[in-house]
């Protein structure tokens, strides 16, 4: 009798353990990158119209979202297997290093400092740093006019610092948590200009609620090579993503995504960059 009780209890414990293991496995990324019904977590921005935006109904739209979805499909994942995670600029390297995401497609410019911590596939888009000002502002006609002006950018971004270091040393840098907050500050005269990539700024300026309020200055102050960030040393995943990006360009999907996301703003994009060709 005692033996039967112990055996039954052991069997129950084993069954619970197996059930827990089976349930938990569905939530983990497939480390092999082969899909097979498992999930993949991808870091994106959720507040950048035209790049990465979470709509009120919970959907994700934007060029980076389209690129990430295409790449994930080439890695073996259906759209329903993708778990998009908001990744703020200051958290991108940490999210990759911790394994919170498999890769990041979030207006993530390739630079030497970041390459010390993560690897990049791509680039897949060449953007340029610009500024957004109020539509009636005639005081800023060149980057040097930003001296003594309040220049907004987001925490973790290098955009405002680039302007301060190279073009307008007296610019008053203001760091906000997100571009939407910078935009509100610009509209309310709390700041004089918002700086980041022209692709991002064009997305904001083209929103229905913002039409006529803001304008792009047209300064091509830097080259921003958007890459897909991934864990340092993961050469296999890097090759697979690069192959996917190459295919996206060759089959016309890249151009289609550019027109769908940037076309309404009249954004004049650069041609698709060649893999590994980082424009300085």
């Amino acid at each position: 009798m005692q033996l039967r009780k112990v055996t039954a209890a052991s069997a129950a414990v084993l069954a619970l353990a197996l059930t827990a293991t089976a349930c938990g496995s569905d939530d983990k990324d497939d480390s092999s990158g082969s899909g097979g019904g498992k999930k993949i977590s991808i870091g994106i921005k959720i507040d950048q119209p035209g790049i990465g935006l979470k709509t009120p109904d919970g959907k994700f739209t934007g060029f980076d979202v389209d690129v990430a979805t295409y790449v994930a499909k080439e890695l073996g994942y259906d759209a329903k297997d993708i778990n998009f995670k908001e990744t703020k600029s200051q958290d991108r390297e940490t999210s990759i290093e911790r394994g919170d995401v498999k890769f990041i497609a979030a207006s993530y410019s390739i630079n030497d400092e970041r390459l010390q911590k993560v690897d990049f596939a791509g680039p897949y888009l060449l953007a340029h740093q610009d500024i957004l000002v109020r539509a009636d502002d005639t005081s800023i006609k060149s980057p040097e006019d930003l001296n003594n002006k309040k220049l907004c950018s987001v925490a973790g971004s290098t955009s405002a610092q680039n302007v301060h270091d190279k073009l307008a040393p007296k610019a008053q840098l203001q760091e906000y948590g997100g571009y939407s907050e910078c935009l509100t500050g610009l509209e309310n005269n709390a700041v004089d200009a918002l700086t980041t990539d022209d692709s991002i700024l064009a997305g904001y300026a083209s929103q229905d609620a913002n039409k006529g309020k803001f304008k792009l200055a047209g300064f091509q102050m830097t080259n921003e090579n958007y890459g897909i960030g991934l864990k340092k040393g993961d050469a296999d995943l890097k090759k697979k993503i690069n192959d996917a990006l190459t295919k996206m360009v060759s089959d016309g999907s890249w151009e289609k995504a550019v027109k769908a996301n940037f076309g309404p703003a009249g954004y004049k994009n650069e041609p698709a960059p060649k893999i590994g060709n980082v424009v300085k």
Side-chain angles (χ1 to χ4, degrees):
M1 181 68 70
Q2 183 68 24
L3 179 60
R4 285 198 297 273
K5 287 182 179 179
V6 172
T7 303
S10 300
V13 171
L14 178 60
L16 285 171
L18 289 172
T19 301
T21 302
C23 291
S25 64
D26 290 338
D27 297 328
K28 294 181 179 179
D29 288 353
D30 177 11
S31 60
S32 67
S34 59
K38 294 187 179 180
K39 305 294 184 181
I40 183 170
S41 294
I42 301 174
I44 60 168
K45 294 293 183 63
I46 66 170
D47 65 343
Q48 294 180 355
I51 297 289
L53 182 70
K54 185 175 182 179
T55 59
D57 60 0
K59 295 180 180 179
F60 298 95
T61 65
F63 182 70
D64 282 351
V65 174
D66 289 346
V67 170
T69 301
Y70 188 99
V71 169
K73 182 178 179 182
E74 290 301 304
L75 293 177
Y77 299 94
D78 293 330
K80 62 181 176 57
D81 299 325
I82 300 174
N83 175 29
F84 285 118
K85 289 188 175 182
E86 179 185 11
T87 311
K88 293 183 179 295
S89 295
Q90 65 268 31
D91 298 329
R92 288 180 293 205
E93 287 83 32
T94 302
S95 295
I96 292 172
E97 290 170 344
R98 279 197 312 238
D100 295 342
V101 294
K102 191 72 174 176
F103 62 81
I104 289 177
S107 54
Y108 201 2
S109 298
I110 302 170
N111 63 36
D112 292 338
E113 182 180 353
R114 291 167 179 165
L115 282 167
Q116 294 178 14
K117 299 179 180 179
V118 300
D119 279 344
F120 284 96
Y124 63 90
L125 183 72
L126 176 60
H128 303 285
Q129 186 180 343
D130 201 353
I131 66 166
L132 192 70
V133 297
R134 290 180 290 277
D136 60 354
D137 189 335
T138 59
S139 66
I140 302 175
K141 300 177 181 178
S142 70
E144 290 74 18
D145 292 333
L146 291 167
N147 280 307
N148 300 312
K149 299 284 189 179
K150 293 179 181 178
L151 180 63
C152 190
S153 190
V154 302
S157 171
T158 59
S159 299
Q161 195 63 49
N162 286 339
V163 174
H164 182 272
D165 292 347
K166 300 174 183 177
L167 300 169
K170 293 182 180 179
Q172 301 171 26
L173 306 187
Q174 309 286 320
E175 278 197 346
Y176 285 18
Y179 292 111
S180 296
E181 295 165 51
C182 277
L183 198 71
T184 300
L186 182 59
E187 184 175 5
N188 296 333
N189 295 298
V191 297
D192 301 301
L194 160 59
T195 184
T196 187
D197 305 342
D198 51 8
S199 55
I200 298 172
L201 296 175
Y204 281 113
S206 66
Q207 285 186 298
D208 289 339
N210 296 329
K211 285 181 179 177
K213 293 181 179 180
F214 310 105
K215 63 183 178 182
L216 282 161
F219 308 149
Q220 291 190 352
M221 296 182 284
T222 64
N223 295 317
E224 304 296 335
N225 300 267
Y226 287 5
I228 292 183
L230 62 145
K231 197 165 188 178
K232 191 79 174 171
D234 195 340
D236 181 59
L237 180 60
K238 180 177 178 179
K239 182 182 184 305
K240 288 178 179 178
I241 294 176
N242 278 334
D243 288 345
L245 293 174
T246 300
K247 182 178 178 181
M248 187 177 186
V249 173
S250 65
D251 69 11
S253 298
W254 185 90
E255 187 66 30
K256 182 180 179 181
V258 167
K259 289 180 179 178
N261 292 291
F262 300 134
Y267 171 67
K268 297 183 192 249
N269 64 283
E270 299 278 4
K274 292 182 180 179
I275 298 299
N277 183 26
V278 178
V279 179
K280 298 295 187 180

